[in-house]
Amino acid sequence: MSILHKAETILHQVFGYEQFRQNQAEIVQQVCAQKNALVIMPTGSGKSLCYQVPALVLDGVVIVISPLIALMDDQVMQLAQLDVRVACLHSNLDYEAQQKIERQLLDQQLDLLYVAPERVLTPRLLGLLEQTPVALFAIDEAHCVSQWGHDFRPEYQQLSQLIERFPQVSRLALTATADELTRQDIVKHLQLENAQAFISSFDRPNIQYQVHAGLSNAKQNLLQFIRQYHSNDSGIVYCLSRKKVDDVAAWLSQQGLNALPYHAGLDAKIRQSNQQQFLMQDKMIMVATIAFGMGINKPDVRFVAHLNLPKSIENYYQETGRAGRDGLAATAWMSFGLQDVISIKQMLDSSVSSNQRRQVEQTKLQSMLGLAESCQCRRQTLLAYFGETLEEPCGNCDNCLQAPQTWDATLAAQQALSCVHRSGQRYGVNYLCDILRGVANERIRQAGHDKLGLFGIGRDISKVQWQSIFRQLIALAYLNVDADAFGGLSLDESCRSILRGEQKLLLRSYNATAKHPTYQTTTNGQKQFLNDLWQVLREKRRELASEQGVPAYVIFHDATLMEMAEQRPQTLAQMANLSGVGQKKLNAYGDIFLQLIQQHRQTPVDAMKTASADESIQLFKSAMSSEQIAAQRGLTLETVYAHLAQGVASGELELQKVTGLDTQSQAEIIAEFEFSAEPGRLKPVYDSFQGRYSYAVLRCVQASLGKLL
Ligand code: ADP
Ligand code: ZN
């Protein structure tokens, strides 16, 4: 059996997944051939399978080096559900437990062992590793070797000792951090000069980006957003300060939501317990400073909200990236104001000592502000920042879903810039707005600014609108903010072309309230059509999880339950076809869930189920590809094909259009189904073609035979 075939069999049987994603197959082959590799893939794209599958293919143990206990525990918990022989060694274990694991290691009874970097370098463990065959060192979160990154860990650099001691063992470095400096550091410190690098696109198509500037009541808008779109979901709300975290968490709780705070100022026990609850529960909001996040593997975080501007696009990307790791639709919502820019600058001034570094940080902040005030597709702007080009606007961000209104703001911009100039380039936005609007307050009169020619020239523009104009002028770098002088504005050289009228300026119109674009399939919408059955399945999952003391997603991921609710398998074999149902989970939970589905069939079928399939079918008819439908609706490709298969079964869609098969291939597959001993099952047919046709294609052909429904 070829290695790839063996790996695929493991993928199906143990993990219950149909296909490798993107680069996974190539990486797995490389690793199984015991060659070094460097993997850079965004969060949620499936890095861990790149060493977990080889661990089951190769002889010997795979040592996974991971920086955080929470991360290790999470993976061990998930793998244990699949009957994989796995353990982790860390300081939270007592001596006896450690000894037991060391024994298992020596007896070659482990496929994977998770360890912290400082632990793997102890003479004791090094000695043990010498006495047992090691298949691979997988170095997770490899960006921790880089001093440039935010997660620098000196122990990671010492891993070179491990490499020198075991030169024959291959290495796999994995990270979601893409920048060039970090990459060079990884290659240098982990000696990967000759390793093949696998770099994936950084796009996270299932995340919908929404940014709101200068909302008059951000908290209220956040609440409305959660109620409307994520009332049954888990999410993270990020705030800049601890105080704000406490306030917002308390306020959301008062409003009847299940919200807890998390920041470095809380007692360690409380922090731990809050984090634990967040992991375990299905429906919880964590209000946190950015101290919270790394090591959070929760796949079903459905939204990440920012109540302040992050300090760089890197931060924004990383923090929003914690949403939707399972690939289902998720939202990144942000509200910010100019005060955030000033606060961040003040923090930089007090914490960053070198001038050069401060300059770098300020440029990063400027780019973030640019993204936040942009009228273009957010995803295109975001990816461009990381050097990636997205050819078309994404169709899944606020600007794409609802083109921002713009207006010719050239004259107003000239007035704003002149106002900065005439008043001496040292006042903040509020003061400048007052001059423009002709508010003759004490301070203005004392400074004699009520005598300026442009005093009151902008009366017909509201204050919030002026604020928006100033914010955009700052985002476009025509104005600079001075944090020392409490946000005093000064002119940038580049503003001359505006002042001289050489350039027309279109700005975004100010919107007083956050309008959430109507996105057909927010997760609420998605779940609504599955309604009763989805709730029933989820409830059972919760029950099973709490019996075992594990998070719900350890039993089944949302993605799996959603497929289950949609496809309603009638037999164990059909259940096994769902993504995320491997042999072990089928044995453990298959009957329990089949029974629930069976019972549900006896209640009247909710018409909404077909409504969802119908939506996909209509989109397909409107010439969208199945990939586009999956991205727009936040569904897995498997689910979209299951919908399209229904269209094929009902005769609404042509098999050939859906699958792209030529007549000969079609005939070949049909023959295989007809000769199959179990025509209701896809796997035997899939296997007989040795993977030449995807499950999705086979499912559609099967549907055309009228055997699916
Ligand atoms: P990362 O470490 O890159 O953030 P994970 O390894 O945690 O991502 O994987 C993210 C999610 O994708 C997990 O729920 C995982 O089970 C799922 N996944 C990974 N590979 C596949 C695949 N080939 N098919 C289906 N689901 C997958
Ligand atoms: Zn877009």
Side-chain angles (χ1 to χ4, degrees), residues 11 17-21 24 41-49 75 297 299 325-326 557 579 638:
L11 184 74
Y17 295 141
E18 290 181 6
Q19 282 159 316
F20 282 117
R21 287 182 184 158
Q24 277 176 339
M41 270 188 189
T43 305
S45 54
K47 283 186 287 299
S48 31
L49 275 186
Q75 293 215 1
N297 245 341
R325 294 177 71 117
D326 53 12
H557 283 183
S579 176
E638 286 84 359

Side-chain angles (χ1 to χ4, degrees), residues 348-366:
L348 289 179
D349 283 348
S350 63
S351 67
V352 180
S353 51
S354 99
N355 259 341
Q356 196 192 357
R357 178 88 193 208
R358 198 176 310 163
Q359 194 60 46
V360 171
E361 301 285 341
Q362 302 228 352
T363 314
K364 290 188 170 189
L365 174 60
Q366 188 67 37

Side-chain angles (χ1 to χ4, degrees), residues 61-75:
V61 61
V62 168
I63 305 293
V64 185
I65 295 158
S66 176
L68 287 176
I69 294 180
L71 279 179
M72 296 194 233
D73 281 343
D74 187 79
Q75 293 215 1

Side-chain angles (χ1 to χ4, degrees), residues 29-178:
Q29 274 179 293
Q30 178 89 356
V31 171
C32 288
Q34 314 235 276
K35 292 187 194 146
N36 295 337
L38 167 62
V39 168
I40 302 180
M41 270 188 189
T43 305
S45 54
K47 283 186 287 299
S48 31
L49 275 186
C50 298
Y51 53 82
Q52 289 171 347
V53 170
L56 303 182
V57 172
L58 296 168
D59 293 330
V61 61
V62 168
I63 305 293
V64 185
I65 295 158
S66 176
L68 287 176
I69 294 180
L71 279 179
M72 296 194 233
D73 281 343
D74 187 79
Q75 293 215 1
V76 168
M77 216 157 38
Q78 300 209 45
L79 288 169
Q81 284 284 324
L82 308 176
D83 260 1
V84 171
R85 304 181 309 167
V86 59
C88 63
L89 274 178
H90 56 59
S91 46
N92 284 5
L93 295 177
D94 61 29
Y95 184 67
E96 234 169 89
Q98 295 191 23
Q99 271 201 320
K100 183 173 154 226
I101 293 169
E102 290 179 3
R103 190 76 260 149
Q104 289 174 324
L105 180 65
L106 285 179
D107 293 345
Q108 302 184 25
Q109 292 194 347
L110 290 177
D111 297 311
L112 288 129
L113 177 63
Y114 287 78
V115 285
E118 60 275 13
R119 165 69 65 134
V120 79
L121 293 166
T122 56
R124 184 180 176 91
L125 193 53
L126 287 172
L128 291 175
L129 293 182
E130 253 160 16
Q131 298 168 53
T132 192
V134 177
L136 170 77
F137 291 123
I139 301 146
D140 208 0
E141 314 287 349
H143 59 274
C144 292
V145 301
S146 175
Q147 267 163 332
W148 299 104
H150 27 76
D151 301 324
F152 175 54
R153 287 174 184 250
E155 315 85 74
Y156 260 73
Q157 290 195 345
Q158 286 157 26
L159 289 173
S160 57
Q161 294 168 27
L162 182 73
I163 296 166
E164 274 142 33
R165 183 119 170 215
F166 297 93
Q168 77 288 0
V169 178
S170 54
R171 301 180 288 288
L172 170 68
L174 310 107
T175 178
T177 305

Side-chain angles (χ1 to χ4, degrees), residues 412-422 436 454 470 473 478-479 491-492 495-496 498-499:
Q414 284 170 342
Q415 292 170 345
L417 294 169
S418 306
C419 185
V420 172
H421 182 62
R422 300 262 170 235
L436 287 162
L454 42 67
F470 276 108
L473 290 172
Y478 294 126
L479 285 173
L491 299 180
D492 188 271
C495 76
R496 282 184 188 209
I498 304 284
L499 280 173

Side-chain angles (χ1 to χ4, degrees), residues 209 376-381 390 392-401:
Y209 299 100
Q376 314 293 320
C377 168
R378 309 271 183 203
R379 197 179 311 272
Q380 280 182 322
T381 315
L390 187 68
E392 298 287 322
C394 75
N396 193 23
C397 71
D398 52 355
N399 287 347
C400 280
L401 289 164

